[in-house]
Amino acid sequence: MTSTALLLSGRTMKRFLRTPPLIIIAFVFPVVLMFTILPLYGGLIEDDYIQRLAPLIVLSTATFGMAPSAAGLYADFRAGIFNRLRTMPISAASTVAGRIVGEVLRIVAVAVVAIAVAHIPGFRFTAGPAGVLGFFCVVAVFGAMCTSVSLLVALTGPDEDTVQSALGTPATLAFFLSSGFIPVTAFPGWIQPVVRVNPLSTASEALIGLTGGGPVAAPLLQTLAWAVGLGGLCALLSVRAYRRRAR
Amino acid sequence: MIHDTGVLIGRNLRLSLTTRSFFQLVVSPLVFFAGFAIVLDRLLTLRGVDFGQFLPPAIVMMAMGLAPVSTAFFIGRERQSGMLDRCRTMPINSLSVLIARLGTDAVRSLIPIVVLVAAGHVIGFRFAGVPSAVGFALLAVAFALSFCLGAAVVAIRSPDPESSASALFLPMLPLINLSTVFAPMSVFPDWLEPVIRINPYSVVVDALRALAAGQPVSWWPPLAWIVGLSLFFGLAAVRAFRRA
Amino acid sequence: MTAIVELRHLSKSFGTTVALDGLSLAIPEGSVVGLLGPNGAGKTTLINCLTTLLRPDSGSATIAGHDLLTEPDKVRAHIAVTGQFAAIDETLTGRENLVFFGRLLRLGKDEAKDRAGGLLERFGLSAEADKPVKTYSGGMRRKLDLAASLVVPRPVLFLDEPTTGLDPVSRETLWDTVRDLRSTGVTILLTTQYLEEADQLADRIVVIDHGKVVAEGTAQELKDRVGGGAVCEIRIADPGVREKAMAVLGRSAEGEDGPIVLPAEGVEALAGIVKTLEAAKIEPDDLALRKPTLDDVFRSLTGRPE
Ligand SMILES: Nc1ncnc2c1ncn2[C@@H]1O[C@H](COP(=O)(O)OP(=O)(O)OP(=O)(O)O)[C@@H](O)[C@H]1O
Ligand SMILES: [Mg+2]
């Protein structure tokens, strides 16, 4: 199963690396987003806003990547690849795992680049090598969760357009209503509970903690709970949906 | 040619009646509106900004900024499905395809404006009068169309139109964030001020806010931008459509 | 010979469309079966059911002794498919596609590369092997798609319209490939629109229409059904006259146009036809006696020209 998953994820990576517009969007988008949000909200909020912003940018690669990754699956439906795989003795679980691993590799690669660039306006890791390692692990776990969600929605959704919208809109909402964007206390009181439980907030706080800017344990546990709960559930249901899906 | 264009606009609009369009033109502007309303309310009110008047024009600018993405998307689809080539083999002026696209985009752009003005009403957004409302809509649509022309050029020229459509919203990010769309000038560092002042998004959003409030509008900067961009992209688009 | 593919009363509907209507069929091991039928007859649906892509509504089937519904994984280990529409990765090169599928089917790296190279050569794709598939022509894609189902030999091969879109030389290559595979004991079920192809390749031909088997047998047996020795082919250009001729000759199966074909064994039968036409004062544009072809079978069985 692992070798199959790796083969499949290798293919996902190759496709990604051979589609220049995809690469540009993937790597340029976060950097542009970072540099344009920075002067605006940096001016509105606090001095070392980049410590808050960089983690959010990295995580939003995963959330905003959900719609394109669903589009990739639909491209496979259209190309018939999906059907060919289904006639081969390959387990549904390894196919799903292959998809997830492929997307996570992409997300982490983009995260490395974005974080490197974030050093220019002053982003720093101050919690040692363990913090750095933990940082990218959280990014990977969060990315796996997002990919599972998008996979499930794509496999069970009615058509590509609806699926893309159904993934893009919540991603945008989650982006706004997260404490990665502005601190929880800057939100109106009534919405603060929502902001606090938003997985993008918990993951952002975990990442901020791992760069040495706050508590680690609580947000990390909350993020893991999200990843195992939502991500795990979606992955399991995706395996089922994959077996059932007939096109 | 007027007839052809009319027929094509009719077809384009029918093709627009999709879930995707509904999300693009209604849901997503509302999501952005709500998102920014929640995020910016405290931060801007603290700085003495009249938030109710300030935010709706900002989100309208954002919706206008996204219009070119769908221009490119639809032209890309027409190209891939062979529809564009079919039009070219028929006795239709190839420019009517372009004009019909822009006409359709103009109609499409009006939808989020209406939706956002209605949503803005809830947080206290008001027009000074009917002329100011009409001027507001016209200026916003004209601004959107000048960028749609640029998107048409990209879509016609690019080898992979569907993915270039999504790349098109990249330039919008710096334009919209480094402008007075979401924050007053005083928020930005001084060295950025010249950039922000000259940014077409700044001059247009300032004009929109002035129009809504019934204050005197400085027409020259926004019109210069819109006419300049339209001429530049328009010439390129005409050439691209004739040749492609 | 035992049946390696066996289906019993297989049915599948899409909404109100009945695509397969209680279809039963047994395919002996090592044989090539040609599945013929007009557009929409249910050929692709049948292949999709047998390759585990679609779940039939009722009925059962076994492939290599494994039940399609309860042991799909075992079935998948015995089959290879080339569907009606290409199933390859556009962004990968031809070679990468074949290596990828080979590796997924548990070939080692070198083995997968060797197999890929061999197949690319066999299908005349060596020159383009390292270009991305999106630069391929329609026929090249088709060939690559076929090659992809041959990367790892399987005892049962399904080919859905394998030669559609191929040039004559490539078609010959494919035919040779099918014959080669057959000689190594592979069982092949292929659908086709070309009766000549079925005639050339298939040991047995199954004609289906509206999801049912309407005829089955060797090419010769089917031809005998139309008219053992000979058929009479009448061509009439004028549609009105043609219709009249069909009426007096008691034909209804033929479609809107094309020749009217009647069994005509012996001079007597032929004379009967001519007399009937004479009596109705019908002057055919052309009247000929010839050996029956599968086309005749097809027309008479399905009522549709093919
Ligand atoms: N996914 C589907 N949804 C609805 N109807 C379908 C679907 N697939 C096939 N059908 C219908 O089932 C019938 C059989 O279709 P099928 O594709 O099996 O025909 P076919 O014999 O392969 O035809 P062709 O020669 O055109 O390939 C047709 O009436 C078709 O419209
Ligand atoms: Mg078919």
Side-chain angles (χ1 to χ4, degrees):
Chain A
M1 151 153 177
T2 27
S3 70
T4 308
L6 285 180
L7 273 169
L8 288 165
S9 59
R11 183 183 77 96
T12 315
M13 274 312 263
K14 265 191 200 152
R15 282 173 66 90
F16 170 65
L17 293 175
R18 285 187 195 168
T19 319
L22 282 186
I23 305 182
I24 294 174
I25 294 168
F27 286 98
V28 176
F29 175 76
V31 172
V32 173
L33 193 64
M34 183 157 66
F35 278 108
T36 59
I37 287 186
L38 188 59
L40 173 57
Y41 291 90
L44 281 171
I45 299 162
E46 51 202 77
D47 281 343
D48 58 348
Y49 185 58
I50 187 68
Q51 292 294 121
R52 177 174 296 280
L53 181 62
L56 175 69
I57 295 291
V58 164
L59 295 173
S60 65
T61 307
T63 53
F64 289 131
M66 291 196 294
S69 119
L73 189 65
Y74 273 89
D76 276 357
F77 289 156
R78 278 195 299 270
I81 297 278
F82 180 81
N83 272 351
R84 190 185 279 281
L85 291 180
R86 282 187 3 129
T87 64
M88 292 166 54
I90 299 170
S91 74
S94 49
T95 316
V96 167
R99 287 248 158 217
I100 296 178
V101 174
E103 294 290 322
V104 167
L105 286 177
R106 175 182 64 85
I107 291 165
V108 173
V110 173
V112 170
V113 172
I115 287 299
V117 175
H119 277 72
I120 301 171
F123 176 83
R124 293 290 179 272
F125 283 109
T126 56
V132 179
L133 189 67
F135 186 95
F136 288 105
C137 287
V138 170
V139 172
V141 166
F142 185 82
M145 179 186 84
C146 291
T147 310
S148 314
V149 173
S150 93
L151 206 51
L152 180 64
V153 174
L155 282 167
T156 52
D159 61 82
E160 184 172 1
D161 278 2
T162 316
V163 163
Q164 294 231 28
S165 313
L167 288 169
T169 310
T172 313
L173 265 180
F175 181 83
F176 279 115
L177 301 183
S178 78
S179 64
F181 201 26
I182 59 174
V184 181
T185 46
F187 281 93
W190 59 272
I191 196 93
Q192 286 187 9
V194 178
V195 175
R196 274 181 222 279
V197 298
N198 181 350
L200 205 48
S201 301
T202 66
S204 283
E205 297 296 339
L207 293 184
I208 293 171
L210 287 163
T211 61
V216 176
L220 191 60
L221 284 177
Q222 287 161 350
T223 307
L224 285 178
W226 268 113
V228 174
L230 179 65
L233 183 70
C234 287
L236 287 179
L237 291 176
S238 296
V239 172
R240 252 174 61 130
Y242 181 88
R243 282 210 194 99
R244 295 227 168 138
R245 178 118 192 168
R247 292 198 148 234
Chain B
M1 174 154 168
I2 293 174
H3 170 78
D4 296 344
T5 311
V7 171
L8 287 170
I9 291 186
R11 171 177 171 274
N12 287 345
L13 285 176
R14 273 194 303 282
L15 284 181
S16 288
L17 296 174
T18 58
T19 333
R20 179 191 284 267
S21 296
F22 178 69
F23 270 85
Q24 265 174 2
L25 302 178
V26 179
V27 178
S28 129
L30 285 177
V31 167
F32 279 110
F33 181 85
F36 278 109
I38 292 168
V39 168
L40 290 176
D41 188 0
R42 271 199 185 178
L43 294 171
L44 289 179
T45 311
L46 274 177
R47 293 177 171 257
V49 173
D50 177 357
F51 193 65
Q53 285 299 104
F54 186 87
L55 187 68
I59 312 295
V60 165
M61 287 302 284
M62 194 165 185
M64 298 303 103
L66 288 172
V69 178
S70 63
T71 307
F73 175 83
F74 279 107
I75 291 181
R77 269 209 180 164
E78 301 280 54
R79 231 184 77 179
Q80 273 175 352
S81 68
M83 187 66 199
L84 211 59
D85 287 332
R86 176 179 292 269
C87 284
R88 203 167 284 126
T89 61
M90 297 194 303
I92 295 182
N93 190 325
S94 65
L95 283 186
S96 20
V97 176
L98 176 63
I99 295 171
R101 186 69 254 157
L102 291 177
T104 313
D105 289 333
V107 177
R108 284 172 57 101
S109 304
L110 279 172
I111 298 172
I113 297 180
V114 172
V115 168
L116 288 169
V117 166
H121 205 86
V122 178
I123 62 164
F125 180 72
R126 297 291 181 274
F127 283 115
V130 174
S132 86
V134 172
F136 183 97
L138 285 180
L139 180 61
V141 171
F143 175 74
L145 290 188
S146 61
F147 277 93
C148 288
L149 272 169
V153 179
V154 173
I156 279 286
R157 290 252 175 109
S158 137
D160 183 4
E162 285 210 37
S163 42
S164 46
S166 38
L168 268 177
F169 84 129
L170 275 182
M172 194 197 77
L173 284 177
L175 282 171
I176 203 163
N177 281 323
L178 303 182
S179 73
T180 51
V181 169
F182 286 119
M185 188 75 89
S186 61
V187 166
F188 295 95
D190 292 343
W191 57 271
L192 260 178
E193 220 184 281
V195 177
I196 301 202
R197 206 173 280 287
I198 200 173
N199 183 339
Y201 273 75
S202 298
V203 300
V204 174
V205 82
D206 290 348
L208 288 179
R209 288 189 179 121
L211 265 169
Q215 291 158 353
V217 180
S218 62
W219 281 107
W220 279 115
L223 288 186
W225 266 116
I226 290 173
V227 172
L229 286 173
S230 302
L231 276 179
F232 178 74
F233 287 136
L235 287 177
V238 168
R239 282 181 47 181
F241 265 75
R242 284 246 162 93
R243 183 150 32 100
Chain C
M1 271 197 291
T2 51
I4 188 163
V5 178
E6 201 166 358
L7 24 159
R8 288 168 295 269
H9 311 295
L10 218 58
S11 292
K12 175 80 193 173
S13 301
F14 298 101
T16 53
T17 313
V18 180
L20 294 180
D21 191 2
L23 201 139
S24 299
L25 191 64
I27 300 177
E29 189 165 356
S31 64
V32 176
V33 171
L35 194 61
L36 285 177
N39 291 137
K43 304 181 295 290
T44 300
T45 307
L46 179 61
I47 300 247
N48 285 348
C49 285
L50 292 177
T51 53
T52 75
L53 287 175
L54 277 179
R55 211 183 154 80
D57 301 333
S58 63
S60 65
T62 53
I63 292 179
H66 298 291
D67 189 280
L68 192 64
L69 296 177
T70 57
E71 305 170 292
D73 286 332
K74 298 237 171 66
V75 168
R76 289 181 192 128
H78 289 87
I79 60 171
V81 204
T82 290
Q84 186 168 1
F85 305 102
I88 35 186
D89 193 320
E90 297 268 304
T91 48
L92 301 186
T93 67
R95 193 187 305 280
E96 283 171 338
N97 263 292
L98 297 187
V99 172
F100 170 67
F101 288 120
R103 300 269 291 142
L104 278 178
L105 293 169
R106 319 273 191 289
L107 291 185
K109 218 174 203 157
D110 296 333
E111 210 184 346
K113 281 187 184 152
D114 287 350
R115 289 289 302 169
L119 285 165
L120 288 163
E121 182 122 351
R122 177 142 135 208
F123 283 96
L125 291 170
S126 299
E128 286 83 14
D130 297 307
K131 292 187 189 150
V133 172
K134 46 171 183 268
T135 66
Y136 282 26
S137 74
M140 285 156 63
R141 266 166 226 244
R142 196 76 201 132
K143 286 189 255 182
L144 185 67
D145 199 29
L146 287 163
S149 59
L150 302 177
V151 174
V152 173
R154 296 292 194 189
V156 184
L157 180 62
F158 295 96
L159 303 173
D160 198 358
E161 301 195 15
T163 56
T164 305
L166 291 191
D167 61 38
V169 175
S170 307
R171 178 174 301 180
E172 288 287 343
T173 311
L174 181 94
W175 287 2
D176 288 342
T177 308
V178 169
R179 292 185 189 114
D180 282 355
L181 288 167
R182 182 182 183 280
S183 69
T184 61
V186 176
T187 307
I188 299 169
L189 177 65
L190 64 90
T191 78
T192 176
Q193 305 280 354
Y194 306 108
L195 300 143
E196 184 201 357
E197 185 161 292
D199 213 354
Q200 285 274 337
L201 295 178
D203 301 311
R204 269 155 33 93
I205 293 172
V206 175
V207 183
I208 69 170
D209 196 12
H210 301 299
K212 283 192 180 117
V213 175
V214 291
E216 197 179 343
T218 62
Q220 194 54 51
E221 282 164 14
L222 292 180
K223 287 176 194 168
D224 287 347
R225 285 174 61 150
V226 189
V231 291
C232 170
E233 183 178 293
I234 302 162
R235 288 180 187 276
I236 300 169
D238 187 311
V241 181
R242 183 174 178 277
E243 205 166 307
K244 194 169 154 206
M246 294 205 11
V248 297
L249 292 168
R251 305 297 292 181
S252 58
E254 279 95 344
E256 299 276 289
D257 43 36
I260 304 170
V261 180
L262 300 160
E265 275 233 66
V267 184
E268 228 167 275
L270 185 63
I273 294 169
V274 174
K275 268 186 200 138
T276 315
L277 290 176
E278 198 180 19
K281 298 208 167 40
I282 293 170
E283 188 68 36
D285 298 323
D286 188 27
L287 190 149
L289 194 66
R290 58 167 174 75
K291 290 238 167 269
T293 65
L294 276 179
D295 281 285
D296 303 328
V297 179
F298 206 82
R299 283 168 197 280
S300 71
L301 287 172
T302 66
R304 281 176 258 186
E306 190 48 51

